[in-house]
Amino acid sequence: MKKTLCASLVALTLVACASTNVSTADAPEIPNDHVIDKSLTNVSAGTLPVTFKRDTFGPAHALYRVKVFVDGRAVANIGSGEKLTTHLPAGRHVFGVGRSNSSVPEREIAVTVSEQYQPVLRLSLVADGWGGWKITESSF
């Protein structure tokens, strides 16, 4: 009985922390009231789309939001399975992710945005212990 209970708890813990990549096409845009800096989400001349998408997680993380940063500025809090589309001028930008109550990102990545490359960035949970959040480029 104890072995079964322990095995069940381990399995539940792993499922609760499991991270699943979401297709950009299937992810809904975040609600407007979760956008912190609306100036970076407005389409304007000379800007290009950069999309952030967050993995889905088990029930333990479903309601928890993470903060997205662009060039050190907090842009929005994004929920499980959601996406955020920003519009930025071409050039090199530093994108970050962190806890929703943080004023600085935990992890960052520098990417050059151009007419030829408008990145999709994946936000996911690092699975080993509390490794925090990571941000990587995504192909879909």
Side-chain angles (χ1 to χ4, degrees):
M1 178 69 174
K2 270 186 171 179
K3 287 182 181 180
T4 303
L5 181 58
C6 285
S8 296
L9 288 174
V10 168
L12 181 59
T13 301
L14 291 174
V15 169
C17 293
S19 173
T20 304
N21 198 351
V22 176
S23 163
T24 306
D26 294 336
E29 281 286 335
I30 68 167
N32 196 39
D33 61 334
H34 292 274
V35 177
I36 298 165
D37 187 342
K38 292 181 177 32
S39 70
L40 297 179
T41 60
N42 296 327
V43 178
S44 60
T47 64
L48 300 164
V50 175
T51 304
F52 298 84
K53 64 177 182 170
R54 185 178 145 192
D55 283 6
T56 58
F57 297 103
H61 298 284
L63 299 177
Y64 184 79
R65 295 187 167 277
V66 296
K67 193 172 285 180
V68 172
F69 296 84
V70 174
D71 297 327
R73 294 166 51 188
V75 180
N77 288 309
I78 185 169
S80 181
E82 294 178 335
K83 72 181 172 189
L84 165 71
T85 304
T86 59
H87 299 275
L88 306 171
R92 187 172 170 87
H93 295 278
V94 177
F95 303 107
V97 62
R99 296 178 189 192
S100 61
N101 62 350
S102 178
S103 59
V104 296
E106 290 179 20
R107 299 238 166 61
E108 294 178 305
I109 183 173
V111 178
T112 300
V113 178
S114 68
E115 288 287 340
Q116 295 76 31
Y117 184 64
Q118 293 101 43
V120 173
L121 301 170
R122 178 183 176 193
L123 311 175
S124 56
L125 190 62
V126 177
D128 53 333
W130 174 250
W133 297 94
K134 67 179 177 178
I135 182 168
T136 55
E137 294 175 85
S138 180
S139 62
F140 72 100

